[in-house]
């Protein structure tokens, strides 16, 4: 069997996956992943994500993005990401066994990532054509091969993936503790960029920010997911959501290319343009995003030794 081929700058995934607009999908992706019974159980029983939400989010962007953007080194990055999940296994409170490396579970998590370019453009940009969506899906399968996981649960094409997605939303995903915990950001701490903001001001700002972000996320769900989670969504909500999305899409046109991308993606674009050597060290998360000292040796954490 031939070696998997990493994605390159000619792909739609390169164009959109490392786009900062993807942060608007953070709650959506986390909650959709956690609604999978096995994934939700693993988060509930093993994850300390809720102790350091911002740090975990921002440092995760580096290796996950690296599987898309690291070029010849992407397969190595993918195997590192896969290894973080080796020990996440057990039996949930309903007596169901789970393992993060169960092929069905692992592919579901990947599925939420591979559709992000489609959702970003649907809600905050120019919607992709069906042909472009099919291309994004094919690139997602190509990217998934880098993990070395079983391809058994992977639908062969975009139409079959759409049927898979509908089946998962209707028949498999569930309302559980991990999903609700991800969606509850009412007490979230300050993001790193606002570290100097006085605590009383953050507590005031946090209320409209958390409510607004949750509302934005509800608007991204498929209707069947909103119904499953018991969220009300009106025609007025939909109109406002669409207007905000169009406003962001308009403003985004004026953002310089370099500023649109996460550092790992930005470095990849620089490498392919010849602005930095092709073998330049990969950009790693800064020290402010690292796990607490007592967890940096835990193989479940991405904790690069030379973060600066």
């Amino acid at each position: 069997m031939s070696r998997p081929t990493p994605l390159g700058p000619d792909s739609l995934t390169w164009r959109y996956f490392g786009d900062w607009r993807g942060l608007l999908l953070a709650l959506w992706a986390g909650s959709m992943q956690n609604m999978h019974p096995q994934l939700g159980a693993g988060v509930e029983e093993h994850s300390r994500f809720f102790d350091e939400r911002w740090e975990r989010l921002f440092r995760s962007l580096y290796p996950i993005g690296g599987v898309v953007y690291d070029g010849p080194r992407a397969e190595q990055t993918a195997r590192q990401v896969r290894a973080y999940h080796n020990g996440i296994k057990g039996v949930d409170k309903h007596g169901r066994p789970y393992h993060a490396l169960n092929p069905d579970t692992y592919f579901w998590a990947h599925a939420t990532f591979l559709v992000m370019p489609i959702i970003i453009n649907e809600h905050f940009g120019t919607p992709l054509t069906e042909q472009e969506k099919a291309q994004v899906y094919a690139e997602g399968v190509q990217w998934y091969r880098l993990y070395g996981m079983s391809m058994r649960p992977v639908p062969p094409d975009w139409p079959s993936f759409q049927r898979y997605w509908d089946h998962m939303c209707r028949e498999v995903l569930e309302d559980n503790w991990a999903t609700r915990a991800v969606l509850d950001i009412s007490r979230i701490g300050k993001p790193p960029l606002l570290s100097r903001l006085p605590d009383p001001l953050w507590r005031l700002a946090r209320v409209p920010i958390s409510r607004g972000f949750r509302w934005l996320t509800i608007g991204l769900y498929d209707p069947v997911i909103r119904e499953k989670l018991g969220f009300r969504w009106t025609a007025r909500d939909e109109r406002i959501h669409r207007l905000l999305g169009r406003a962001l899409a308009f403003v985004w046109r004026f953002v310089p290319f370099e500023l649109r991308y996460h550092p790992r993606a930005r470095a990849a674009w620089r490498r392919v343009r010849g602005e930095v050597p092709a073998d330049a060290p990969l950009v790693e998360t800064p020290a402010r995003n690292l796990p607490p000292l007592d967890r940096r040796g835990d193989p479940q954490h991405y904790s690069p030794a030379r973060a600066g």
Side-chain angles (χ1 to χ4, degrees):
M1 186 175 179
S2 61
R3 294 286 295 274
T5 304
L7 296 175
D10 56 338
S11 65
L12 287 173
T13 304
W14 258 55
R15 192 182 306 174
Y16 298 116
F17 186 74
D19 184 323
W20 281 119
R21 288 175 297 177
L23 285 179
L24 297 174
L25 275 64
L27 279 186
W28 175 88
S31 57
M32 288 295 289
Q33 290 170 16
N34 286 0
M35 287 185 75
H36 189 287
Q38 289 205 14
L39 208 156
V43 168
E44 182 173 356
E45 298 189 4
H46 291 269
S47 179
R48 292 187 173 181
F49 170 80
F50 304 106
D51 298 340
E52 40 158 2
R53 294 183 67 146
W54 289 113
E55 294 82 359
R56 180 66 179 270
L57 169 63
F58 285 121
R59 72 172 177 264
S60 295
L61 296 177
Y62 288 81
I64 293 171
V67 185
V68 171
Y69 291 101
D70 286 356
R73 292 170 282 185
E75 185 175 5
Q76 179 183 354
T77 303
R79 300 307 172 97
Q80 291 171 348
V81 171
R82 173 179 167 172
Y84 301 147
H85 301 83
N86 285 341
I88 303 176
K89 57 186 175 181
V91 178
D92 72 11
K93 59 190 177 185
H94 301 292
R96 301 174 296 190
Y98 66 87
H99 196 303
L101 293 181
N102 176 302
D104 296 285
T105 306
Y106 203 84
F107 180 71
W108 172 249
H110 180 74
T112 66
F113 288 134
L114 76 82
V115 299
M116 286 179 69
I118 296 172
I119 296 174
I120 287 169
N121 283 286
E122 180 69 28
H123 293 274
F124 310 118
T126 301
L128 301 182
T129 66
E130 284 301 302
Q131 183 177 357
E132 288 172 328
K133 291 175 184 178
Q135 179 181 336
V136 167
Y137 179 68
E139 291 169 0
V141 174
Q142 179 181 341
W143 159 24
Y144 189 67
R145 290 184 187 278
L146 296 169
Y147 290 109
M149 294 290 294
S150 166
M151 299 300 288
R152 175 187 53 77
V154 181
D157 52 32
W158 171 241
S160 57
F161 176 78
Q162 290 176 283
R163 293 190 293 272
Y164 160 83
W165 185 272
D166 185 67
H167 166 73
M168 293 296 294
C169 289
R170 293 181 184 278
E171 307 297 335
V172 178
L173 302 188
E174 64 182 19
D175 184 358
N176 56 31
W177 178 89
T179 302
R180 295 294 177 172
V182 150
L183 289 171
D184 183 6
I185 56 172
S186 60
R187 297 182 180 275
I188 196 169
K190 289 179 288 189
L193 289 177
L194 297 180
S195 60
R196 296 185 179 181
L197 183 72
D199 290 343
L201 289 181
W202 170 247
R203 285 194 291 270
L204 286 174
R206 181 170 58 190
V207 174
I209 290 172
S210 62
R211 289 178 180 174
F213 206 73
R214 181 182 168 100
W215 173 84
L216 186 74
T217 300
I218 293 169
L220 299 174
Y221 287 137
D222 290 24
V224 67
I225 295 297
R226 285 198 290 263
E227 182 179 351
K228 190 168 286 192
L229 294 176
F231 291 131
R232 182 172 176 266
W233 191 253
T234 66
R236 180 174 180 272
D237 286 319
E238 182 66 21
R239 285 195 302 273
I240 296 173
H241 200 278
R242 290 287 178 185
L243 286 172
L244 286 175
R246 289 173 189 164
L248 176 59
F250 177 76
V251 171
W252 196 252
R253 298 177 188 175
F254 302 99
V255 176
F257 184 85
E258 282 281 299
L259 298 182
R260 294 183 179 194
Y261 292 96
H262 180 269
R264 191 83 163 226
R266 195 181 312 147
W269 284 109
R270 288 174 177 169
R271 287 196 303 273
V272 300
R273 293 197 300 257
E275 296 171 6
V276 297
D279 60 351
L282 296 173
V283 176
E284 303 286 10
T285 191
R288 65 176 178 269
N289 295 331
L290 290 177
L293 285 171
D294 62 336
R295 299 183 204 164
R296 292 185 189 178
D298 187 333
Q300 292 182 19
H301 287 288
Y302 154 65
S303 183
R306 296 186 178 180

